Amino acid sequence: MAPGQFWRCCQRGVGWVPVLFIAFVVAWSYYAYVVELCVFTLSGNGENGKAVVYLVTFHLSFVMFVWSYWMTIFTTPASPSKEFYLSSSEKERYEKEFSPERQQDILRRTARDLPIYTTSGSRTIRYCERCQLIKPDRAHHCSACDICILKMDHHCPWVNNCVGFSNYKFFLLFLLYSLLYCLFVATTVLQYFIKFWTNELQDTRAKFHVLFLFFVSTMFFISVLSLFSYHCWLVGKNRTTIESFRAPTFSYGQDGNGFSLGYSKNWRQVFGDEKKYWLLPIFSSLGDGCSFPTRLVGMDPEQASVTNQNEYARSIGSNPTFPIRPLSESKNRLLDSECQWTENGSEEGTVRAGL
């Protein structure tokens, strides 16, 4: 085995350590709550009715938490379709060229028929040398997974997987049910935590489990709450974690709100149109992950109208630097049919928008 392959195998093995840690904590919390609290403590004190209610509610939250966590971990990250890969002839010509300008000419001609609208910060076609493909909008190469991920948000060590288009909904539900699970455990354990702490209950082996169960559930609740709140904000803005730090670049410049369609539509893009699936870890996100509709260029999507567009156009002058019109979902492209392409010597294509 080559040293590089051996090192990657070691990385993949180590990557499961955080997941195993979470699995251990969850398994212990199940034992501590079900056996030590409900069976020994509650039933031992004659609180059988309360124990039944606690157990039923606990198992509902536990099942949803484990289900969403499982789906986040084992859902294969979506990668770009074959149309984004260079053909054999194009790849050969690209590799033979040493001039970045000529390489960009080849990429521009290939990208002409692709549903892309963003570029790199230097206004070049986003090309992955590792995967040898033109990156779709919002796609990025993950060094840990060693592939390009559609609508990549981040690589999460706690699930040992990339969070992106195919499992972002599952990740959000995992955070939600983690919060509910920890909140339920902490609030129901609190009463007995106080009794054990003040020695109102007999000092048994359940005391250790109940005390630590309260501390652990409270600690995880606080830490997950901040992460969940942040991702709810991202969904409302229709941004990924990567885009929140580095705004995507369109033909008119960088725009952190370029993909925002309004709060309601942003949420539906992740959770889908059918409300019955929103709280279930079943894939229901809209789109294919390769192309995304954009907001009205230069305007707030919640206030867009023809009148506002005209007023805005007048406010920036008679020669705007980018079109003041909606970007149709069918024409949401960097290099659409309206762009004028010329073939003149080494410059095989230039975009009218100035790329």
Side-chain angles (χ1 to χ4, degrees), residues 16 19 28 38 49 66 70 72 110 125 153 167 177 183 186 238 242 255 271-272 301 311:
W16 286 103
V19 176
W28 167 78
C38 293
V66 173
W70 178 277
T72 307
T110 305
I125 301 296
D153 187 87
N167 63 349
Y177 290 121
L183 179 63
N238 204 334
I242 295 175
D255 188 356
F271 288 91
E311 292 177 355

Side-chain angles (χ1 to χ4, degrees), residues 21-22 25-30 33 37 57-66 68-69 173-191 193 210-226 228:
F21 172 75
I22 294 295
V25 172
V26 172
W28 167 78
S29 68
Y30 183 90
Y33 193 91
L37 178 67
T57 309
F58 172 83
H59 279 90
L60 287 175
S61 61
F62 180 81
V63 168
M64 297 306 297
F65 163 69
V66 173
S68 57
Y69 188 44
L173 292 179
F174 158 61
L175 296 179
L176 172 63
Y177 290 121
S178 297
L179 280 176
L180 296 178
Y181 180 77
C182 292
L183 179 63
F184 174 77
V185 170
T187 53
T188 53
V189 166
L190 177 60
Q191 175 186 355
F193 169 83
V210 171
L211 292 178
F212 272 88
L213 191 60
F214 177 77
F215 281 123
V216 172
S217 59
T218 302
M219 178 187 67
F220 273 92
F221 175 81
I222 295 173
S223 59
V224 174
L225 178 61
S226 59
F228 180 69

